[in-house]
Amino acid sequence: MKAAQYLGDSKFGVVASTPISPNAGEVSLDVGYVGICGTDMHIYHGAMDHRVCPPSVIGHEMSGTVREVGAGVEGFRAGDKVVVRPLDHCGVCPACDAGNTHICHNLNFMGIDSSGALQNSWTVKARTLHKLPDHIDLRTGAIIEPLAVACHDVARARVKSGEDIVILGGGPIGQLIAQVAKAEGANVLISEINETRLKFAEDNNIDTINPAKEDIESVVMERTKGKGADVVFEVAGVAPAVKAMTEIAAVRGRICIVAIHSQPAEVDLFKFFWRELELVGARVYEATDYDKAIDLIATGKLDVEPFFTGEFTLDQVGDAFHALDTNPTGMKYIINCGASR
Amino acid sequence: MKAAQYLGDSKFGVVASTPISPNAGEVSLDVGYVGICGTDMHIYHGAMDHRVCPPSVIGHEMSGTVREVGAGVEGFRAGDKVVVRPLDHCGVCPACDAGNTHICHNLNFMGIDSSGALQNSWTVKARTLHKLPDHIDLRTGAIIEPLAVACHDVARARVKSGEDIVILGGGPIGQLIAQVAKAEGANVLISEINETRLKFAEDNNIDTINPAKEDIESVVMERTKGKGADVVFEVAGVAPAVKAMTEIAAVRGRICIVAIHSQPAEVDLFKFFWRELELVGARVYEATDYDKAIDLIATGKLDVEPFFTGEFTLDQVGDAFHALDTNPTGMKYIINCGASR
């Protein structure tokens, strides 16, 4: 058995590991695939060492099969295909009290704040698991986590069929939001300045605009006959997107903040008053978002195959991070951690 | 018959006027009382001459009685006590299409964009009228409009009984929001730096904090046992309030933007992501807000008497504006326009 350890300073080491037997309420998993996400890249660049405390095993976008269940665990048995919703809440803070366990004041984000999935065997609380239908292969299962992020964003923004949606930013999450919103029956436009990402969106049947070449407000107003966008997703995290989000929103439009803004941003609050706009933050996901993501793939409503950019083995984890680091327009790089079906 | 005309540059003149007979769908009113609001003060200072086009009759917080109804008007007859909801919508823009006529793209705000209530007789569309129960006196009726603003803000923020509410700014609208939220059963705290306004709140059974003397985040967190405010109303329109609004909000807290921010403001968007906050703009009111405001007064749930600071006659309208201008902590100055009951 092996585990990949993040050592700090963009370095990984692969070490021998021993599977941890599941305690009561826990399940040990044979890890199938692990995806690399933007947060993992922040860790790779050393920006989150205070939370990760290297050396440590990271990775939270995963699929696998159940190896062994601990005492008292019901609903899972050896061999089941599963994905982990990597959030462990405290159960006693005001957020948990109000039922918002996914944004618990003391949230343990597994794979960041505690040991993660980049190993052959991972032992987790059974309550973090979602079953994967048998006909979904584990490789596809590795995209459930980021897809659940997109489902959460779309749910938070209350996207409805027939609505006009603009997504500011065409990275992996922006593109997944586009696919989920389109599956909901919305009219979707992605705004992005990178030509590779624009082509990815178009290849996957999403309309695009390059705001460096065209005036986004004019384009959106023309497209919506003067109404504006019913929903805007701010996934870019840059000042021009924060400016655009209020310019293109319809009266009572909803703006969903998905990007992580490390600094306060200049927001046109007058537009919030004048057009009664709504801004809603979205972070990670809830159980229902995982259910939705699994359903979208299981029923064939969504084809996530185009999102897979590259695949590496656990021994090659450093190469995988380097590959994504040098190909920032790549979508999803995944690590094959051994379990296959 | 007389009308008070705003002449520009903080000047008013009182001129003779002839009542306008109501056309089909219109009603002519004998004006009872007209309140002066912050927007009227902006007009007085010349900041809105481009919309008001002096000389013109302003005033939009009013009560009165029906003098004459035009052809086709049903539900109103001479002598009825009424208030005007001073919004005239186009009926054909995307906002009207979506049912949001109060924020119509081409909204005519009566008393600003067209002739207002500071006269003995005002002729308006019947669809702008709400009936006032006979036991509400016309003087009290003049506060229905700003109270409807507060009802709209509370409705937009979805305030529920038992929730912790913080209102940033203790001017007339902030104080009315406090009273409406308290009537809904919420725990209300007003944050204000002016001692006169703090005393007004306390005299009317609202808890207060002076953020110039105490740390508002600590006070709110202590008051809510670490949860934060379920709802924050930003009614101050200043940078410290915009900073505080995200600091004191609970997980999934709602922040309602009531103040008019003429410049973009620095907003902590990270907190929107991290705590899944919601920002919601609120502008004017809908018919249901007028119904609610009338009901709150009619049923005695709210006592608005303390809000009346001073009363003037139509001939003294210049004195009234000057009085409010030199007493910025005053609450509601009203003009007696003649009709009495």
Side-chain angles (χ1 to χ4, degrees):
Chain A
M1 289 287 182
K2 292 185 213 169
Q5 286 186 328
Y6 165 66
L7 305 173
D9 196 22
S10 303
K11 288 190 184 62
F12 281 91
V14 176
V15 297
S17 72
T18 310
I20 299 169
S21 290
N23 286 322
E26 292 183 344
V27 173
S28 72
L29 307 174
D30 290 326
V31 180
Y33 289 83
V34 178
I36 305 175
C37 90
T39 304
D40 294 319
M41 293 310 295
H42 282 302
I43 294 171
Y44 179 70
H45 290 134
M48 295 174 74
D49 283 358
H50 60 291
R51 277 178 69 185
V52 172
C53 305
S56 61
V57 178
I58 65 170
H60 60 273
E61 299 185 357
M62 69 81 70
S63 62
T65 55
V66 171
R67 169 192 282 255
E68 190 185 350
V69 300
V73 172
E74 289 183 5
F76 295 97
R77 58 181 180 181
D80 280 351
K81 287 184 183 176
V82 293
V83 289
V84 170
R85 181 164 38 87
L87 306 179
D88 193 18
H89 59 280
C90 75
V92 296
C93 74
C96 286
D97 261 1
N100 299 314
T101 57
H102 69 297
I103 35 177
C104 165
H105 286 196
N106 311 301
L107 189 69
N108 165 23
F109 196 118
M110 299 152 62
I112 298 174
D113 302 308
S114 63
S115 195
L118 276 171
Q119 46 188 338
N120 295 133
S121 174
W122 194 23
T123 300
V124 300
K125 291 182 182 167
R127 71 179 186 188
T128 68
L129 295 180
H130 289 255
K131 234 182 235 180
L132 217 51
D134 217 53
H135 72 279
I136 300 181
D137 64 86
L138 289 180
R139 179 168 161 280
T140 303
I143 211 161
I144 295 292
E145 196 267 3
L147 184 57
V149 168
C151 288
H152 187 63
D153 299 336
V154 168
R156 286 285 289 161
R158 309 192 306 278
V159 170
K160 289 184 283 289
S161 180
E163 287 193 321
D164 294 302
I165 312 293
V166 179
I167 299 161
L168 304 172
I173 295 296
Q175 302 277 358
L176 284 170
I177 291 170
Q179 293 299 327
V180 174
K182 196 177 171 75
E184 294 288 332
N187 309 313
V188 181
L189 179 74
I190 279 187
S191 171
E192 168 63 56
I193 57 172
N194 178 282
E195 292 295 340
T196 306
R197 288 178 164 181
L198 286 168
K199 183 169 184 317
F200 184 92
E202 283 155 19
D203 287 348
N204 291 284
N205 303 310
I206 302 294
D207 293 344
T208 61
I209 174 187
N210 182 339
K213 295 185 176 172
E214 286 182 279
D215 178 62
I216 187 167
E217 186 177 0
S218 309
V219 167
V220 171
M221 289 304 163
E222 190 172 339
R223 188 180 159 94
T224 61
K225 299 188 177 66
K227 171 174 63 69
D230 300 301
V231 177
V232 180
F233 291 94
E234 203 302 84
V235 200
V238 295
V242 174
K243 184 165 181 289
M245 72 186 192
T246 48
E247 288 171 346
I248 64 176
V251 157
R252 291 227 171 152
R254 288 98 69 197
I255 300 170
C256 185
I257 292 287
V258 178
I260 298 177
H261 290 262
S262 56
Q263 297 297 321
E266 292 233 316
V267 176
D268 185 352
L269 293 180
F270 180 80
K271 269 281 175 70
F272 278 87
F273 157 79
W274 194 248
R275 296 206 133 194
E276 290 201 337
L277 303 182
E278 191 180 326
L279 186 79
V280 60
R283 180 173 159 214
V284 292
Y285 25 66
E286 298 171 86
T288 49
D289 303 310
Y290 260 67
D291 295 339
K292 175 83 178 181
I294 292 168
D295 180 70
L296 281 171
I297 291 181
T299 56
K301 285 187 194 125
L302 224 71
D303 175 19
V304 292
E305 192 54 35
F307 282 86
F308 291 101
T309 309
E311 183 177 329
F312 293 80
T313 67
L314 191 53
D315 287 318
Q316 299 168 322
V317 65
D319 299 334
F321 275 78
H322 181 71
L324 181 50
D325 202 27
T326 51
N327 178 22
T329 60
M331 287 292 155
K332 197 44 71 183
Y333 284 84
I334 56 168
I335 315 287
N336 183 339
C337 291
S340 64
R341 258 179 66 208
Chain B
M1 291 286 185
K2 292 185 214 169
Q5 284 185 328
Y6 165 65
L7 304 173
D9 196 21
S10 302
K11 289 190 184 63
F12 281 90
V14 176
V15 296
S17 72
T18 310
I20 300 170
S21 291
N23 287 322
E26 292 183 343
V27 172
S28 71
L29 307 174
D30 290 327
V31 179
Y33 288 84
V34 177
I36 304 175
C37 90
T39 304
D40 294 318
M41 292 311 294
H42 282 300
I43 293 171
Y44 179 69
H45 291 134
M48 295 172 72
D49 283 358
H50 59 293
R51 277 178 69 185
V52 171
C53 306
S56 61
V57 178
I58 65 171
H60 60 273
E61 300 185 358
M62 69 80 71
S63 63
T65 55
V66 172
R67 167 192 284 256
E68 188 184 352
V69 301
V73 172
E74 290 183 6
F76 295 96
R77 58 182 180 182
D80 281 350
K81 286 185 183 176
V82 292
V83 289
V84 170
R85 180 163 39 84
L87 307 179
D88 193 18
H89 59 281
C90 74
V92 297
C93 73
C96 287
D97 261 1
N100 299 313
T101 55
H102 69 298
I103 35 178
C104 165
H105 287 197
N106 311 302
L107 188 68
N108 165 22
F109 197 119
M110 298 153 61
I112 299 175
D113 303 307
S114 64
S115 194
L118 276 170
Q119 47 187 338
N120 294 133
S121 173
W122 194 23
T123 300
V124 301
K125 291 183 183 168
R127 70 178 187 189
T128 68
L129 295 179
H130 289 255
K131 233 182 234 179
L132 216 51
D134 216 53
H135 71 281
I136 300 181
D137 63 86
L138 288 180
R139 178 168 163 280
T140 303
I143 211 162
I144 294 292
E145 196 267 3
L147 184 57
V149 168
C151 289
H152 186 64
D153 299 336
V154 167
R156 285 286 288 160
R158 309 191 306 278
V159 170
K160 289 184 283 289
S161 179
E163 287 193 320
D164 293 302
I165 312 294
V166 179
I167 298 161
L168 304 172
I173 294 296
Q175 302 276 359
L176 285 170
I177 291 171
Q179 292 299 326
V180 174
K182 195 178 172 78
E184 293 288 332
N187 309 313
V188 181
L189 180 73
I190 278 187
S191 171
E192 169 62 58
I193 57 171
N194 179 282
E195 293 295 340
T196 306
R197 288 178 165 181
L198 286 168
K199 184 170 183 316
F200 183 92
E202 283 155 21
D203 287 348
N204 291 284
N205 303 310
I206 303 293
D207 293 343
T208 61
I209 173 188
N210 183 339
K213 295 185 176 173
E214 287 183 280
D215 179 61
I216 186 167
E217 186 177 0
S218 310
V219 167
V220 172
M221 288 305 163
E222 189 173 338
R223 189 179 158 94
T224 61
K225 300 188 176 67
K227 172 175 61 70
D230 300 302
V231 176
V232 180
F233 291 93
E234 204 301 84
V235 200
V238 295
V242 174
K243 184 166 180 289
M245 71 186 191
T246 49
E247 288 171 346
I248 63 176
V251 156
R252 292 228 171 151
R254 288 98 68 197
I255 300 169
C256 184
I257 292 286
V258 178
I260 298 177
H261 289 263
S262 56
Q263 296 296 320
E266 292 232 317
V267 176
D268 186 352
L269 293 180
F270 180 80
K271 270 282 176 68
F272 278 86
F273 158 79
W274 193 249
R275 297 207 133 194
E276 290 200 338
L277 302 181
E278 192 180 325
L279 186 81
V280 59
R283 180 172 159 214
V284 291
Y285 26 64
E286 298 171 85
T288 50
D289 303 310
Y290 260 67
D291 294 339
K292 174 83 179 181
I294 293 168
D295 179 70
L296 281 171
I297 292 182
T299 57
K301 287 189 192 122
L302 223 71
D303 175 20
V304 293
E305 191 54 36
F307 282 86
F308 292 100
T309 309
E311 184 176 327
F312 294 79
T313 67
L314 190 55
D315 287 319
Q316 299 167 321
V317 64
D319 299 335
F321 275 77
H322 181 71
L324 181 51
D325 202 28
T326 51
N327 177 22
T329 60
M331 288 291 155
K332 196 47 68 185
Y333 285 84
I334 56 169
I335 315 289
N336 183 338
C337 291
S340 64
R341 258 182 61 210

